[in-house]
Amino acid sequence: MRRAGPGARTAAPANTAPPADAAPAAETAGAAAAPRAAVREPLRTEFEFELPRGFVDESGTVHRNGAMRLATARDELIPLRDVRVRENPAYLSVVLLGRVITRLGTLGAVHDGTVENMFASDLAFLQDFYRQINAEGHTRAAVACPHCEESFEVELAGSRLGES
């Protein structure tokens, strides 16, 4: 059984009739009312991706499809205490990605050791994907046509490096 959330329409009980003046008032109000504000998208906290090459596990299985969640402040602070990060600051992204990747193919768990053994092109893809979803809050970008100057959005999620 689904519950009606905010903004959801519910049907009137079958045995009641709407007031006689309800329909004309609604039509008049709709015609005279100012345009409604844009409907806000519900907050997405997890984003699907597909790796350009794929992670090859110990048995030789290639895992390409996965999901990454939004990072928290804790996700960005805890790796700073890691000895490997203190010795080599470049290791920060490996530890951080190991914390926020929630799924990769059929692997039971994803951790920094998994990320550490990925191809460099997949690591670069995931670093870019992390920036996209955490900086903007979504994977769409507002752009404008250089010729006609019309504004529109493009989807960045799942795109491969070098593709536009």
Side-chain angles (χ1 to χ4, degrees):
M1 181 172 150
R2 289 179 46 167
R3 292 185 177 178
R9 292 184 177 170
T10 55
N15 61 353
T16 61
D21 62 341
E27 289 172 14
T28 306
R36 290 185 181 178
V39 177
R40 283 190 77 137
E41 249 182 61
L43 178 64
R44 282 182 60 193
T45 59
E46 193 169 80
F47 298 85
E48 302 276 324
F49 63 80
E50 182 178 337
L51 295 174
R53 295 204 186 273
F55 172 75
V56 182
D57 68 15
E58 296 156 356
S59 67
T61 304
V62 179
H63 304 273
R64 293 184 71 194
N65 297 312
M68 182 184 297
R69 67 174 171 78
L70 291 176
T72 64
R74 183 179 183 89
D75 290 323
E76 294 198 349
L77 293 172
I78 286 184
L80 298 175
R81 291 188 260 168
D82 191 301
V83 174
R84 297 166 298 179
V85 174
R86 286 185 179 175
E87 291 175 359
N88 181 3
Y91 205 77
L92 174 63
S93 65
V94 171
V95 177
L96 183 55
L97 289 170
R99 294 181 60 85
V100 298
I101 296 172
T102 58
R103 181 175 45 80
L104 183 59
T106 58
L107 293 176
V110 180
H111 48 81
D112 52 4
T114 309
V115 178
E116 188 176 53
N117 288 303
M118 289 183 173
F119 295 113
S121 59
D122 288 335
L123 178 60
F125 171 86
L126 290 169
Q127 290 169 329
D128 186 49
F129 191 70
Y130 176 91
R131 280 189 294 272
Q132 289 174 16
I133 68 172
N134 285 288
E136 294 294 320
H138 52 73
T139 57
R140 290 182 312 280
V143 296
C145 174
H147 301 290
C148 68
E149 298 181 7
E150 182 177 343
S151 296
F152 58 96
E153 288 185 345
V154 293
E155 180 68 33
L156 301 174
S159 63
R160 302 223 179 134
L161 293 175
E163 292 182 358
S164 49

